[in-house]
Amino acid sequence: MLNDLQAAGLPLTALDRAFARFLQQAQPSGDARHGWLAALVSHQFGRGHACLDLTALQQHGVSALGWDARLQADLPPQLASAAASLPWISGAGSPLVLDGQRLYLRRNWQAEQSIRTAIDLRLAQPCPVPDTLAPALDRLFPGTANSSSPDWQKVACALAARARLTLITGGPGTGKTTTVVRLLALLQSQSGRPLRMALAAPTGKAAARLGESIARAVQQLPAAMQVSIPTQAQTLHKLLQVRAAVQASPPPALALDLVVVDEASMIDLELMARLLAAVPPSASLILLGDKDQLASVEAGAVMGQLCDGAQAGNYDADSVRWMAQHSGQDVSAWAGAGSALAQQTVMLRHSHRFAASSVIGQWASAVNAGERAAVADLWSATPAWSAPDGTSVTRLEPRHAGDSRLAALVRAGWGDWLQALADLRGAEAGDCSDTQALRLLQTLGQFQLLCALREGPWGVLALNRVIAQALGLPLDGWYAGRPVMVTRNDYNLQLMNGDIGLCLPTARGLRVAFADTGPQGGHAVRWVLPSRLDAVETVFAMTVHKSQGSEFDHVALVLPERTAPVLTRELLYTGITRAKQRLTLVVPQAGVLRQAAAQKILRSGGLTS
């Protein structure tokens, strides 16, 4: 069996093989299929799956593993049926768990069970609805009581007042942050005492954006409702006090009444389990996110699975009546026989960023729906990129990464930033002020290259060097103008994974400027010595995964010349929707774009079964 696992061409990692070897040595099995199953559980975990789906393996063979069909002959026959006789699934501490037709690593199974139990407990918690709810909702949403279609933001706020868990999903520009601000104001006004609230997001960048957005939106509330609304967010890891050394320990209970977590699609299985364990059942938990975005880098697609069916609503008769009574909203067109969780799930449907006629919106919709023909039609109708002309979506088909048109694109995209950087270099003192640093950080964020891959000629590592050369900047080392992204949380420096900084000249030498969000949404600058930053990388280009929680005026989305497992409609959709005003599709081969639009992420798991 171990020799078979070493066979050339099998995409199993050394860790997958080592795991199978460890189990075989600890408790030997005479059935070679058992070692295969152990290695495949590890393999699927590495691909982001919570488990090995035995039904899919039986029906679809190696395609269920993301392997080339030519490797089918390498799998032993009747592999899935051998799971029932595994020697490593019995006992409370067994390393593997067989749950129906799903084979888990025990830690993943325990995380799923913990999440399901916590959700059931929350939904069963009594949450009395005060008589003042309806008038308070009408104050926050004037003029919506008799509208012909539901105001889904009002629906979300109403549902949050009746239970301890609410899921709010929606695409870019659908008003998730606006909804949260009104929701916080509503729950505070109904409480009768100051609520202890916390705002969080999975990354530092997403947390900063959440805080900024809430600080702006609070100003739109009635003056009496602006009191006690928090405007500072923190990373989820910081909220839960997660450290690498103590990740296995139980999370500390949070002394809070209300927790709001944005970009929940980025939360993996274990982190979601920790979050639900840390927030007291008596507290309200609001999860925000776009169910159609990329799932977490680690195992699980928690938000996507929990929000499955949100498009249809599936509100039962009691929810339809309750909604009409307390909010004046008629959701009967979205009636159904959904689960208890479905009654607390809301999908925001109207985009304020992309109008129905918006070309970026059309691209996002076609990709999200997996409409390969529509994607092909849009591609044919998309004009080639030239000098900036105001066109919202353009395309560039470079022959190679060194194509002069790609260099021209990045020089045009960062034109304002390059000019500001040149003005700073031309100053006599060469000393960058806080105001100049903030302007440079702002103009840097107006344009961004997003890549599907990290490695290869069209990946982040190669393109960062190509772009630096195109901009006339050094390829290595610290220099004025080097943009960097923090890749690991540093609590001593108060820098979080995803934070963006810019190396600039000061009177004390080169320093890296990071924007610090203040309590009212304003910005200050934190200057850090480059030698103290041991976990950063140049970020002219970043992966689409790293861009989650960010938005840019102009996005250049770069695809490789060949298909790859990571190229999916979720990746395309996430990259496209990072663009606020302009999008340039950098696609060496149009067939790769069409194929990616047809490929959907299907992560195995049992959260909603």
Side-chain angles (χ1 to χ4, degrees):
M1 179 272 296
L2 294 177
N3 290 334
D4 288 343
L5 292 180
Q6 296 285 355
L10 287 182
L12 293 171
T13 67
L15 179 61
D16 301 334
R17 298 186 181 99
F19 180 65
R21 186 178 298 109
F22 168 77
L23 294 183
Q24 178 68 14
Q25 291 172 347
Q27 190 173 355
S29 167
D31 190 336
R33 295 174 298 172
H34 291 163
W36 274 91
L37 287 171
L40 293 181
V41 170
S42 174
H43 171 72
Q44 292 297 79
F45 174 67
R47 296 179 63 224
H49 294 271
C51 62
L52 172 63
D53 188 325
L54 298 172
T55 300
L57 181 64
Q58 182 71 31
Q59 294 177 351
H60 306 295
V62 293
S63 64
L65 306 171
W67 294 4
D68 190 288
R70 289 171 294 185
L71 296 175
Q72 181 65 47
D74 292 312
L75 288 185
Q78 302 300 315
L79 182 57
S81 62
S85 59
L86 277 165
W88 311 307
I89 58 174
S90 59
S94 62
L96 300 179
V97 174
L98 181 62
D99 190 342
Q101 287 298 300
R102 298 186 181 94
L103 185 61
Y104 290 85
L105 295 173
R106 174 164 290 277
R107 57 188 275 189
N108 288 348
W109 181 80
Q110 287 177 329
E112 270 198 5
Q113 297 303 306
S114 174
I115 291 170
R116 294 172 69 169
T117 300
I119 288 175
D120 291 343
L121 178 62
R122 287 185 175 283
L123 295 176
Q125 285 290 310
C127 191
V129 177
D131 295 335
T132 55
L133 177 62
L137 281 167
D138 289 339
R139 285 196 302 274
L140 286 167
F141 297 90
T144 61
N146 299 312
S147 58
S148 57
S149 61
D151 183 328
W152 292 105
Q153 294 187 19
K154 190 174 185 180
V155 169
C157 290
L159 289 180
R162 75 169 189 171
R164 299 302 183 191
L165 175 66
T166 306
L167 308 182
I168 303 175
T169 184
T174 52
K176 294 189 290 293
T177 304
T178 303
T179 302
V180 164
V181 169
R182 294 179 179 182
L183 187 155
L184 295 176
L186 174 72
L187 297 183
Q188 179 63 79
S189 70
Q190 302 300 294
S191 172
R193 63 178 177 83
L195 293 176
R196 299 167 297 175
M197 308 182 196
L199 308 174
T203 67
K205 185 71 172 178
R209 272 198 61 224
L210 175 63
E212 293 167 9
S213 300
I214 286 183
R216 290 193 298 267
V218 163
Q219 307 305 315
Q220 308 303 316
L221 290 174
M225 288 187 162
Q226 295 182 17
V227 181
S228 301
I229 303 298
T231 57
Q232 284 190 302
Q234 57 189 307
T235 65
L236 195 51
H237 285 77
K238 186 173 183 180
L239 174 69
L240 300 178
Q241 299 180 30
V242 175
R243 300 288 193 278
V246 296
Q247 200 150 4
S249 62
L254 300 173
L256 296 168
D257 302 305
L258 174 60
V259 177
V260 175
V261 182
D262 196 13
E263 298 291 348
S265 63
M266 300 169 66
I267 304 176
D268 62 68
L269 200 63
E270 289 198 26
L271 191 58
M272 183 65 79
R274 291 182 67 86
L275 172 64
L276 287 165
V279 179
S282 59
S284 295
L285 176 61
I286 314 296
L287 298 178
L288 301 170
D290 186 345
K291 67 180 181 62
D292 298 316
Q293 273 191 198
L294 280 167
S296 60
V297 175
E298 303 297 331
V302 181
M303 189 67 174
Q305 290 178 5
L306 295 182
C307 292
D308 186 37
Q311 179 77 38
N314 289 318
Y315 299 116
D316 60 28
D318 287 342
S319 291
V320 172
R321 283 193 298 270
W322 188 93
M323 193 59 61
Q325 176 187 351
H326 290 89
S327 71
Q329 302 301 295
D330 181 6
V331 297
S332 57
W334 289 267
S339 64
L341 182 60
Q343 311 312 306
Q344 286 302 122
T345 302
V346 181
M347 181 173 177
L348 306 181
R349 299 157 194 268
H350 176 67
S351 176
H352 301 277
R353 182 190 300 179
F354 304 131
S357 58
S358 159
V359 182
I360 296 179
Q362 291 173 21
W363 269 98
S365 297
V367 165
N368 196 26
E371 297 174 351
R372 188 168 178 169
V375 168
D377 291 342
L378 284 168
W379 175 259
S380 298
T382 299
W385 180 86
S386 59
D389 58 3
T391 305
S392 60
V393 180
T394 54
R395 71 182 191 183
L396 184 62
E397 300 176 80
R399 294 179 296 272
H400 48 77
D403 194 306
S404 61
R405 293 170 297 170
L406 182 58
L409 170 66
V410 299
R411 285 194 293 267
W414 275 306
D416 290 344
W417 176 71
L418 289 170
Q419 184 58 56
L421 192 62
D423 293 344
L424 175 64
R425 287 170 170 168
E428 291 183 8
D431 184 13
C432 185
S433 67
D434 285 11
T435 301
Q436 288 172 308
L438 287 173
R439 180 178 174 235
L440 282 160
L441 284 165
Q442 179 185 14
T443 53
L444 176 69
Q446 290 175 352
F447 175 74
Q448 184 63 54
L449 246 76
L450 302 181
C451 300
L453 305 177
R454 183 171 174 80
E455 308 283 347
W458 298 101
V460 165
L461 299 180
L463 284 179
N464 270 323
R465 298 181 68 84
V466 169
I467 294 167
Q469 190 170 21
L471 299 180
L473 297 171
L475 299 181
D476 299 295
W478 287 101
Y479 55 86
R482 182 191 178 192
V484 294
M485 173 184 280
V486 177
T487 59
R488 186 175 66 240
N489 294 344
D490 188 326
Y491 294 95
N492 292 324
L493 294 177
Q494 295 184 323
L495 295 174
M496 298 296 129
N497 185 5
D499 284 353
I500 301 292
L502 188 57
C503 187
L504 296 167
T506 72
R508 299 170 296 161
L510 291 177
R511 295 292 187 273
V512 182
F514 292 89
D516 226 356
T517 306
Q520 302 304 318
H523 287 301
V525 175
R526 184 161 0 113
W527 297 94
V528 179
L529 196 67
S531 61
R532 299 195 66 190
L533 297 171
D534 59 354
V536 295
E537 60 184 28
T538 303
V539 71
F540 289 117
M542 70 172 72
T543 61
V544 175
H545 275 92
K546 286 287 189 181
S547 75
Q548 287 180 271
S550 301
E551 59 184 15
F552 310 93
D553 292 344
H554 182 185
V555 164
L557 178 58
V558 182
L559 301 187
E561 78 283 8
R562 296 187 183 90
T563 59
V566 74
L567 291 175
T568 62
R569 71 179 67 166
E570 289 84 357
L571 181 136
L572 290 182
Y573 171 80
T574 303
I576 288 168
T577 55
R578 298 311 90 200
K580 292 193 293 184
Q581 299 172 10
R582 300 186 63 203
L583 169 69
T584 300
L585 295 165
V586 182
V587 182
Q589 296 291 336
V592 173
L593 174 66
R594 295 191 296 270
Q595 180 64 30
Q599 182 68 33
K600 182 174 176 58
I601 294 175
L602 294 173
R603 287 193 170 178
S604 301
L607 270 181
T608 55
S609 62

